[in-house]
């Protein structure tokens, strides 16, 4: 059938007036049309996501549902939407969406760390291979067995593709799901990433073989040979020409300086050219950009610069357009379960999915993994996402003779939607990464044996955190009789990579030279600290490169593995030398709150007000150092006092314990009172350590009186230690909770860290290990 249509060239870009729509029945101007389409898509997407987000369902699902709503199944039947999203009017938005998909594929290659392959264990290797090979075997067996009875030769055209699509485990899809569920840094997340990478490599190779087989059918063996040799030649050019050029760009970028915009623009142009080139030798148009992305060194400075420049805009603008426009082709009216073709496709999807779930569980259960964890990992590896939707749509566009264009396309998209809805919910139900941190064992300072090694995990974000942390450790007076085991964790934000990296510098694991350089100052500073305190200190340095929102997993896992009694976190606010606030990092504050919630031991937040000297040897040089411990009562205060007592072993350190008491005893239990008296007994008797301890008792009637006393003493000390006392009500702090700016510091800690105090006194706020409820 031939359809004639008049087209006005050049096309009108800007609108000549809103009322023209009513006269012409269409929107002739391309720019207003595009803007209106984007507004409608984003409005429905955001509305849907607001409803589904509380249930832990990723945004991809909302975009998919928005596309189905705008398609012929729902709103697409209405006249205005039929015109707005007609095939002709979708040309520009579809082009932008496709560009977003190409850019997503390129950046997936940039973020992918090929070095993960060298760290894949047997469990990940077997699970990754099984979750693609076994479903393929089952799927093709179902095809061969049933299609001769159920399908015609024409209907069976798209079955090999349908089977392969259901068996794929794309690495970017798994990364997206793990990030959405906030388990990327968990043990299960790391295992899932490794298995997905193995499976994706196998799947990509099989897809490339399938594309070569298609070329062989259309162009003959000679055409297939030319296409295959062109693909291999392109890979060699990328590896031996483009990748060295990327390292040249890195060498031309001074340390700490951004990559030149010209270089980024040139890389983007090469990405588009790579897509055209791969189309020319009959490979997928995504093959070129993916290989180019893999050749870009991940991480800073180049990989991070590309991600910062393009990732978030593409993720929030272009990709939603792509997912939605692909989903618009879904027509629920075509689903009819009373015909053999549809029934066969349902059975094929069911059997391949079942095989994909069972296959990775076998090696996982064989290695004694808990059933819930194995089932959760199988769901992660069986998840479907943007890559499946894109391949489905691409097959519909390039193979119009296959029956896939109608009911099977709709059925595949519905299967992707159901998977995207159910899998995240089930994984969230089956796997709780915080359960391993539950406080079955007492790991805190109070229950540390008297002369046993006190293990402390110190977290470092920036170089300015080093001096304050070392000063705190020096003030705790490590000796041969009372040793310290210091585990230093340097936290670096993951940008330009998909896979988090955890490095033990004691194990001397190989990593990027840039990463080692970032941690060199941390390692050298704490090594010097160990040399100055050789008899009583052992230090172990680690580096964790991960997204800030997942760093709490690295911190708590290391604390659990090393049996730490205390985690020391830097406060998110930084003060300048004159006492004014210099900067704040909200992501660090969120991290601190996450650690406080799930930590397997006690936690201390160190508020550094800039009162230390440039040297980290302040205590070692025997200069006077005064410490105050404010005691109100409760678990956290008892933990804080126990730590403060360690400081009463140096003649240059003065420890003052200020006990706030009240005549009202109704807000404290008899048991708490007994415990408080027990921990204060040796302080009152001046029987703490080898040095003199000052005990002061202040009687107060309410919170404002406590605040006045704290304000008067704040400039008299170099360090003040307090307990957090979260959600603890007492007469001593009554009336102060309403003014609490930072709940993670508790009432008194927040008072000491207030910007109203122009003081250089540092503050350590301690929370005792939470009991399991």
């Amino acid at each position: 059938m031939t359809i004639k249509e008049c087209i006005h060239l050049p096309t009108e870009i800007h609108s000549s007036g809103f009322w023209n729509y009513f006269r012409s029945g269409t929107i002739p101007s391309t720019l207003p049309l595009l803007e209106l389409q984007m507004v409608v898509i984003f409005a429905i997407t955001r509305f849907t996501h607001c409803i589904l987000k509380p249930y832990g369902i990723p945004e991809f699902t909302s975009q998919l549902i928005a596309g189905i709503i705008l398609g012929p199944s729902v709103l697409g039947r209405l006249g205005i939407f039929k015109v707005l999203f007609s095939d002709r009017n979708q040309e520009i938005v579809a082009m932008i969406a496709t560009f977003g998909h190409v850019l997503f594929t390129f950046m997936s290659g940039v973020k992918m760390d090929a070095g993960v392959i060298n760290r894949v264990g047997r469990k990940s290797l077997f699970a990754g291979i099984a979750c693609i090979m076994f479903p393929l075997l089952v799927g093709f067996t179902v095809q061969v067995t049933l299609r001769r009875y159920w399908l015609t030769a024409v209907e069976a055209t798209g079955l090999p593709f349908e089977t392969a699509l259901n068996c794929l485990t794309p690495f970017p899809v798994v990364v997206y799901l793990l990030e959405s569920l906030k388990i990327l840094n968990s043990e299960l997340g790391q295992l899932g990433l490794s298995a997905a990478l193995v499976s994706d490599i196998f799947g990509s190779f099989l897809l490339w073989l399938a594309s070569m087989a298609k070329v062989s059918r259309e162009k003959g063996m000679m055409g297939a040979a030319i296409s295959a040799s062109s693909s291999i030649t392109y890979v060699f050019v990328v590896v031996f020409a483009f990748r060295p050029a990327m390292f040249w760009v890195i060498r031309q970028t001074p340390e700490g300086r951004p990559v030149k915009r010209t270089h980024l623009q040139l890389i983007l142009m090469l990405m588009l050219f790579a897509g055209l080139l791969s189309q020319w030798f009959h490979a997928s148009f995504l093959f070129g950009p993916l290989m180019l992305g893999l050749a870009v060194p991940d991480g800073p400075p180049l990989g991070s610069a590309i991600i910062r420049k393009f990732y978030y805009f593409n993720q929030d603008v272009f990709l939603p357009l792509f997912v939605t426009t692909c989903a618009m082709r879904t027509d629920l009216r075509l689903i009819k379960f009373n015909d053999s073709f549809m029934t066969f496709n349902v059975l094929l999807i069911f059997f391949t999915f079942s095989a994909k779930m069972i296959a990775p569980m076998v090696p996982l259960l064989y290695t004694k993994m808990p059933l819930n964890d194995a089932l959760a990992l199988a769901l992660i590896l069986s998840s479907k996402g943007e890559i499946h939707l894109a391949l489905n749509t691409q097959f519909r566009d390039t193979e119009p003779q296959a029956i896939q264009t109608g009911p099977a396309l709709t059925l595949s998209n519905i299967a992707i939607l159901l998977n995207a809805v159910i899998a995240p919910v089930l994984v969230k139900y089956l796997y709780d990464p915080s359960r391993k941190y539950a406080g079955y064992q007492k790991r805190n300072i109070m229950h540390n044996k008297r002369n046993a090694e006190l293990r402390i995990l110190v977290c470092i974000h920036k170089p300015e955190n080093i001096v304050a942390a070392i000063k705190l450790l020096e003030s705790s007076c490590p000796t041969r009789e009372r040793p310290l085991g210091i585990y230093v964790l340097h936290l670096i934000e993951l940008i330009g990579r998909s896979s988090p990296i955890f490095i033990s510098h004691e194990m001397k694991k190989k990593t990027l030279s840039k990463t080692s350089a970032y941690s060199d100052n941390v390692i050298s500073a704490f090594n010097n600290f160990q040399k100055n305190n050789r008899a009583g200190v052992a230090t172990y340095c680690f580096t964790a490169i991960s997204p800030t929102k997942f760093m709490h997993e690295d911190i708590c896992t290391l604390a659990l593995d090393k049996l730490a009694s205390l985690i020391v976190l830097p406060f998110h606010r930084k003060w300048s030398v004159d006492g004014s606030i210099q900067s704040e990092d909200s992501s660090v504050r969120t991290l601190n709150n996450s650690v406080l919630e799930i930590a397997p031991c006690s936690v201390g937040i160190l508020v550094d007000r800039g009162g230390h000297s440039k040297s980290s040897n302040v205590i070692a040089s025997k200069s006077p150092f005064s410490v105050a411990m404010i005691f109100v009562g409760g678990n956290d205060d008892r933990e804080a006092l126990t730590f403060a007592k360690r400081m009463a072993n140096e003649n240059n350190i003065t420890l003052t314990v200020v006990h706030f008491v009240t005549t009202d005893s109704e807000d404290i239990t008899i048991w708490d009172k007994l415990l408080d008296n027990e921990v204060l007994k040796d302080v009152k008797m001046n029987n703490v350590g080898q040095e003199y301890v000052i005990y002061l008792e202040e009687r107060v009637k309410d919170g404002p009186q406590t605040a006045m006393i704290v304000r008067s003493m704040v400039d008299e000390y170099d360090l003040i230690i307090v307990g957090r006392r979260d959600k603890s009500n007492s007469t001593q702090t009554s009336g102060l909770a309403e003014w609490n700016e930072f709940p993670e510091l508790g009432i008194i800690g927040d008072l000491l860290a207030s910007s109203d105090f122009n003081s250089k006194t540092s503050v350590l706020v301690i929370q005792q290990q939470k009991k399991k409820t």
Side-chain angles (χ1 to χ4, degrees):
M1 181 173 60
T2 303
I3 299 176
K4 294 184 178 180
E5 184 177 351
C6 295
I7 302 174
H8 179 72
L9 293 174
T11 56
E12 184 180 345
I13 297 176
H14 298 287
S15 173
S16 56
F18 177 76
W19 297 106
N20 280 344
Y21 166 74
F22 295 99
R23 290 201 297 268
S24 63
T26 184
I27 304 174
S29 308
T30 54
L31 184 59
L33 175 65
L34 175 63
E35 291 170 338
L36 185 57
Q37 288 171 333
M38 292 177 69
V39 167
V40 171
I41 288 172
F42 290 134
I44 297 178
T45 300
R46 298 314 303 172
F47 176 76
T48 309
H49 188 56
C50 286
I51 297 173
L52 299 178
K53 187 177 180 181
Y55 302 100
I57 297 175
E59 197 168 351
F60 165 79
T61 310
S62 306
Q63 297 162 5
L64 197 56
I65 292 173
I68 295 174
I69 291 172
L70 289 170
S73 305
V74 188
L75 296 179
R77 300 182 184 185
L78 304 178
I80 184 171
F81 289 99
K82 192 178 291 185
V83 172
L84 184 61
F85 292 103
S86 64
D87 291 342
R88 176 68 195 283
N89 285 342
Q90 280 193 51
E91 288 178 355
I92 295 177
V93 71
M95 181 187 69
I96 294 173
T98 304
F99 171 76
H101 178 54
V102 173
L103 191 57
F104 168 77
T105 305
F106 170 70
M107 287 190 292
S108 297
V110 172
K111 293 169 66 179
M112 196 177 293
D113 180 14
V116 172
I117 292 294
N118 299 324
R119 303 191 292 271
V120 170
R122 288 195 303 172
K123 191 187 296 186
S124 303
L125 182 65
F126 293 144
I129 295 174
C131 78
I132 187 169
M133 299 306 294
F134 185 61
L136 274 175
L137 180 64
V138 170
F140 284 118
T141 302
V142 170
Q143 280 188 50
V144 172
T145 306
L146 299 180
R147 73 176 182 182
R148 69 182 69 176
Y149 305 110
W150 293 44
L151 304 178
T152 64
V154 177
E155 288 176 328
T157 307
L159 289 182
F161 168 80
E162 186 72 24
T163 303
L165 180 69
N166 291 323
C167 299
L168 291 178
T169 306
F171 183 75
V173 171
V174 173
V175 171
Y176 179 79
L177 178 62
L178 294 174
E179 286 182 340
S180 301
L181 295 173
K182 299 180 181 179
I183 57 173
L184 185 67
N185 281 30
S186 66
E187 185 180 356
L188 192 75
Q190 294 294 298
L191 190 61
L193 285 177
S194 300
L197 186 59
V198 171
S199 184
D200 199 14
I201 291 172
F202 270 82
S204 299
F205 179 69
L206 292 175
L207 283 178
W208 180 76
L209 289 179
S211 66
M212 292 302 104
K214 176 187 171 185
V215 174
S216 173
R217 289 195 306 270
E218 296 176 353
K219 307 286 184 179
M221 290 300 297
M222 183 58 68
I226 293 173
S227 181
S229 59
S230 300
S231 300
I232 295 170
T233 303
Y234 170 76
V235 171
F236 273 96
V237 170
V238 167
V239 172
F240 296 106
F242 179 75
R243 187 168 174 81
M246 296 300 98
F247 282 108
W248 178 85
V249 170
I250 292 173
R251 289 194 297 271
Q252 298 301 308
T253 304
E255 189 170 350
R257 303 283 295 175
V259 179
K260 290 182 180 179
R261 185 182 299 178
T262 309
H263 292 151
L264 297 178
Q265 292 170 345
L266 184 60
I267 291 171
L268 190 64
M269 295 300 294
L270 286 172
M271 177 202 76
L272 296 174
F273 177 72
L276 293 173
L277 197 63
S278 54
Q279 280 281 79
W280 177 74
F281 48 74
H282 303 291
S284 168
F285 70 93
L286 300 174
F287 173 77
L290 178 62
M291 291 296 109
L292 207 69
L294 288 170
V296 176
D298 59 339
L302 186 55
S304 302
I306 291 172
I307 298 303
R308 281 197 191 98
K309 189 77 174 176
F310 305 115
Y311 180 77
Y312 295 104
F313 185 80
N314 188 62
Q315 193 76 13
D316 295 336
V317 179
F318 290 160
L319 268 188
L321 294 178
F322 180 77
V323 174
T324 306
T325 52
C326 288
M328 282 183 200
R329 310 188 185 198
T330 305
D331 190 352
L332 299 178
R333 296 172 299 179
L334 297 177
I335 295 183
K336 298 174 182 177
F337 291 103
N338 57 352
D339 68 67
S340 58
F341 176 74
M342 186 64 68
T343 306
F344 181 87
N345 274 274
V346 170
L347 289 174
L348 182 63
I349 292 172
F350 172 77
F351 280 117
T352 51
F353 178 77
S354 300
K356 198 168 177 62
M357 284 290 296
I358 295 169
M361 288 184 66
V362 173
L364 295 174
L365 293 174
Y366 179 77
T367 55
K368 309 299 183 185
M369 177 179 276
L371 178 61
N372 277 11
D373 291 0
L375 189 58
L377 185 58
L379 281 167
I380 289 169
L381 296 176
S382 303
S383 60
K384 299 182 185 295
E386 193 263 354
I387 303 293
H388 297 88
L389 188 67
L391 290 172
N392 212 11
T393 306
Q394 182 185 356
F395 183 78
R396 175 214 190 253
D397 292 339
T398 56
E399 298 286 343
Q401 74 277 10
I403 307 298
Q404 181 75 10
T405 54
L409 171 73
T410 296
L411 187 62
S412 294
N413 285 353
I414 292 301
I416 293 171
L417 175 61
L418 291 175
N419 184 287
V421 171
I422 297 171
V425 175
L426 288 179
V427 172
K428 196 172 183 179
Y429 173 77
L430 291 168
Y431 182 68
D432 179 13
S434 64
R435 70 185 177 207
K436 65 179 179 181
Y437 308 129
Y440 293 110
Q441 298 180 6
K442 292 180 178 179
R443 295 196 180 103
N444 52 48
I445 306 170
M446 285 187 67
H447 291 87
N448 197 64
K449 292 182 180 179
R450 183 172 181 81
N451 293 322
E453 179 185 62
L454 177 63
R455 298 186 176 187
I456 301 176
L457 173 58
V458 179
C459 298
I460 303 294
H461 291 283
K462 298 177 181 178
E464 53 263 27
N465 303 145
I466 298 174
V467 175
I470 290 179
K471 185 172 181 180
L472 175 68
L473 297 173
E474 285 179 330
S475 66
S476 63
C477 308
T479 62
R480 190 184 301 274
E481 293 74 26
R482 298 165 67 89
L484 291 180
I486 309 300
Y487 297 88
V488 185
L489 181 59
H490 186 200
L491 298 161
I492 301 175
E493 184 180 5
L494 177 73
I495 300 176
R497 284 193 188 97
S498 293
S499 305
I501 297 177
F502 190 87
I503 305 154
S504 170
H505 295 287
E506 305 303 316
M507 301 283 290
K508 296 182 180 178
K509 290 184 178 180
K510 293 183 179 180
T511 183
L512 296 176
S513 58
K514 286 279 185 185
T515 304
S516 299
Y518 292 151
S519 297
D520 276 349
N521 56 349
V522 178
I523 296 169
S524 61
F526 281 92
N527 282 344
N528 289 333
F529 170 58
Q530 179 176 335
K531 289 176 184 177
N532 294 333
N533 301 271
R534 190 178 298 275
V537 173
T539 61
Y540 310 91
C541 294
F542 303 85
T543 298
I545 307 174
S546 61
T548 308
K549 59 185 177 181
F550 303 137
M551 283 179 181
H552 61 279
E553 288 283 349
D554 292 318
I555 296 170
C556 294
T557 300
L558 184 61
L560 185 68
D561 292 344
K562 302 303 178 183
L563 304 178
S565 297
L566 177 67
I567 299 171
V568 177
L569 303 168
F571 191 52
H572 70 277
R573 179 178 281 181
K574 179 184 176 184
W575 280 266
S576 58
V577 178
D578 61 359
S580 60
I581 298 173
Q582 183 175 337
S583 63
E584 292 191 20
D585 191 338
S586 59
S587 61
V588 173
R589 184 186 181 192
T590 304
L591 169 64
N592 291 347
N593 283 314
S594 299
V595 174
L596 287 169
E597 283 298 317
I598 66 171
C601 61
S602 297
V603 181
I605 296 180
L606 180 58
V607 182
D608 176 25
R609 307 272 313 227
H612 50 73
S613 67
K614 295 296 181 184
S615 169
S616 63
N617 275 335
V618 179
I619 307 300
S621 62
K622 304 300 180 181
S623 58
F625 190 76
S626 57
V627 180
M629 192 278 144
I630 297 177
F631 190 91
V632 177
N635 291 335
D636 293 348
D637 278 12
R638 291 192 288 269
E639 184 81 355
L641 180 57
T642 305
F643 183 73
K645 287 177 182 179
R646 294 183 63 94
M647 300 180 178
N649 286 283
E650 284 284 345
N651 55 17
N652 63 310
I653 298 179
T654 304
L655 174 62
T656 302
V657 178
V658 183
H659 185 194
F660 287 98
V661 296
T662 178
T663 55
D664 186 6
S665 60
E666 293 182 0
D667 57 355
I668 183 171
T669 64
I670 296 175
W671 179 247
D672 273 331
K673 193 171 184 178
L674 288 172
L675 292 175
D676 290 346
N677 288 333
E678 181 63 26
V679 79
L680 284 167
K681 182 170 64 175
D682 53 354
V683 176
K684 293 178 180 179
M685 297 173 62
N686 194 22
N687 190 26
V688 179
Q690 303 172 358
E691 301 303 325
Y692 186 69
V693 178
I694 302 171
Y695 174 75
L696 300 175
E697 198 170 275
E698 298 282 354
R699 290 194 173 273
V700 294
K701 60 181 180 180
D702 54 20
Q705 189 176 356
T706 302
M708 283 181 59
I709 297 172
V710 170
R711 184 182 291 271
S712 66
M713 63 180 282
V714 71
D715 290 322
E716 299 177 11
Y717 302 96
D718 297 301
L719 172 67
I720 298 178
I721 302 175
V722 298
R724 184 188 178 202
R725 305 184 73 251
D726 184 38
K727 298 177 182 177
S728 296
N729 298 317
S730 65
T731 304
Q732 296 95 318
T733 57
S734 61
L736 298 180
E738 292 79 5
W739 306 96
N740 198 347
E741 184 181 1
F742 303 116
E744 65 269 25
L745 298 181
I747 294 175
I748 296 180
D750 177 77
L751 187 66
L752 292 167
S754 172
S755 56
D756 297 337
F757 288 177
N758 189 13
S759 168
K760 293 187 178 181
T761 301
S762 295
V763 182
L764 178 65
V765 180
I766 293 181
Q767 171 188 279
Q768 191 181 55
Q769 176 194 21
K770 287 186 174 182
K771 296 179 182 178
K772 178 166 179 66
T773 56

